[in-house]
Amino acid sequence: MVNEMSERADDGFQHRLVTVAQAVERTLASLLGDPLLPGEMFRPVRLMEAMRHASLAGGKRLRPFLVVETAGLFGAQGEGVLRAACAVELVHCYSLVHDDLPAMDDDDLRRGRPAVHKAFDEATAILAGDGLLTYAFDVLADPATHPDARIRADLVLALARAAGMGGMVGGQALDLAAEKAKEPLTHDEILRLQAMKTGALLAVSVRMGALIGGADRAQLQALEHFGRVLGAAFQIADDILDETGTEEQVGKRIGKDADRNKATLVRTLGLEGARQTCDRLVEEAIAALVPFGERADCLRQATSFVASRSS
Ligand code: GRG
């Protein structure tokens, strides 16, 4: 009976994930269409094709899902929420394009398709990433995203802080440095690196949803804690997947963490230790959602999904 109920709940979550992903796809396709925005002069065809290749038809759209579902806790929904959700996805897609470049992780495959630098060329991939990153902030600053300019400014600031030198970009810099370092990173250094490189964008997705929803201070604190712990669970699950998944499942080259002696928690904790830590993080994240009651069921299921995903 309990299993049946949790299966039904899981069906509801999967349906919701797909529905949000479809809405995100439509919004991204429209944002990356041909019509020019005021102040733009021309959208170069090859650049736009590369930006669409990088961002359309692929990915779980987990970060946008977190924005939409967190905003939904407060009854906020509609086009503006979707635009904010797409802004995070644009930053995520840029990071994947740049991460795949030969100068970084050097991957030919992304989301089961050729990486942008393979489908086009390296210079176009760099520019497509730059274009996606810049556009994310254009989308957020546009009044179509939120009528209140203070909320728009808060969203821009939150995303910039999470994506920049003290967040994702900084985490990537630490990761690249660790590959060349003589001494392996300590456990705590790995935790910080991962919180910056992947955790920050997941956590800010939750924060942005809360900002749009008008969360009070206590709600914001609870949700920020949820987002941070969810980000940590996501990254451990990613380390485990790199060790145990297949290329077909994951849609990218796997086993490369071990090949490059990468800074991962599977290395410091062992596979079983990493699994146990992941389970603990899931419990902690779910506990942070207590103040939101049943309304947060989808976020609870998202947490379990993130930790047990196979791609
Ligand atoms: C290049 C500035 C810069 C940063 C790169 C996030 C990142 C930093 C690199 C991504 C490399 C990577 C594969 C990291 C592991 C975790 C991760 C972000 C996986 C991909 O995220 P998913 O699983 O992917 O949400 P989809 O395709 O579903 O969106």
Side-chain angles (χ1 to χ4, degrees):
M1 183 66 181
V2 173
N3 266 349
E4 233 175 72
M5 279 172 67
S6 65
E7 264 169 36
R8 236 179 292 147
D10 198 45
D11 281 354
F13 161 72
Q14 290 293 347
H15 176 71
R16 196 71 205 122
L17 189 62
V18 170
T19 307
V20 172
Q22 285 167 345
V24 165
E25 186 74 24
R26 278 195 301 275
T27 309
L28 280 175
S30 145
L31 288 169
L32 291 167
D34 294 326
L36 297 182
L37 294 168
E40 288 184 337
M41 290 175 238
F42 180 62
R43 292 187 170 191
V45 174
R46 190 173 162 80
L47 175 67
M48 295 311 297
E49 280 171 4
M51 287 169 69
R52 289 189 199 109
H53 179 96
S55 55
L56 299 181
K60 298 177 286 298
R61 310 301 197 191
L62 197 57
R63 293 152 193 82
F65 181 81
L66 291 172
V67 177
V68 169
E69 290 303 320
T70 309
L73 287 179
F74 304 91
Q77 56 179 346
E79 204 47 39
V81 178
L82 273 175
R83 287 174 59 92
C86 286
V88 185
E89 185 68 12
L90 288 168
V91 172
H92 173 56
C93 293
Y94 122 76
S95 81
L96 299 180
V97 173
H98 281 191
D99 188 63
D100 289 339
L101 285 167
M104 298 236 190
D105 234 27
D106 194 10
D107 263 312
D108 293 349
L109 194 63
R110 171 63 64 184
R111 292 174 164 172
R113 294 192 303 157
V116 178
H117 69 94
K118 280 287 161 189
F120 296 82
D121 55 77
E122 275 181 50
T124 305
I126 293 169
L127 290 175
D130 294 344
L132 293 167
L133 173 63
T134 314
Y135 197 24
F137 294 100
D138 180 325
V139 169
L140 285 184
D142 192 310
T145 297
H146 201 287
D148 185 337
R150 279 170 308 181
I151 301 283
R152 297 202 300 276
D154 285 348
L155 294 173
V156 166
L157 184 60
L159 186 57
R161 288 276 158 88
M165 60 203 166
M168 185 180 72
V169 171
Q172 178 78 346
L174 291 175
D175 205 12
L176 292 176
E179 272 187 40
K180 297 201 172 70
K182 289 197 188 78
E183 292 294 313
L185 294 189
T186 65
H187 183 74
D188 285 352
E189 285 171 337
I190 297 175
L191 287 181
R192 182 177 63 186
L193 183 162
Q194 295 189 341
M196 292 168 69
K197 182 178 154 177
T198 40
L201 210 55
L202 289 156
V204 83
S205 305
V206 175
R207 180 175 166 80
M208 287 168 64
L211 289 171
I212 296 169
D216 64 27
R217 189 193 285 260
Q219 289 169 326
L220 201 54
Q221 254 179 11
L223 287 168
E224 286 198 324
H225 182 62
F226 165 73
R228 273 197 302 275
V229 180
L230 175 82
F234 176 96
Q235 184 57 60
I236 287 214
D238 203 73
D239 289 355
I240 296 171
L241 257 182
D242 193 76
E243 193 81 11
T244 60
T246 65
E247 191 164 296
E248 292 71 44
Q249 268 178 340
V250 185
K252 62 176 184 182
R253 186 156 53 92
I254 51 119
K256 63 178 197 238
D257 291 353
D259 290 352
R260 292 184 184 185
N261 205 17
K262 271 241 179 194
T264 80
L265 293 179
V266 172
R267 202 201 74 213
T268 58
L269 298 171
L271 195 53
E272 201 38 47
R275 285 197 173 118
Q276 283 169 8
T277 304
C278 190
D279 290 347
R280 257 202 321 277
L281 289 168
V282 168
E283 278 173 32
E284 188 178 337
I286 288 177
L289 294 172
V290 167
F292 303 96
E294 279 180 16
R295 280 176 298 146
D297 276 351
C298 243
L299 287 177
R300 284 188 190 91
Q301 282 145 24
T303 311
S304 308
F305 167 78
V306 155
S308 58
R309 72 205 153 88
S310 57
S311 70

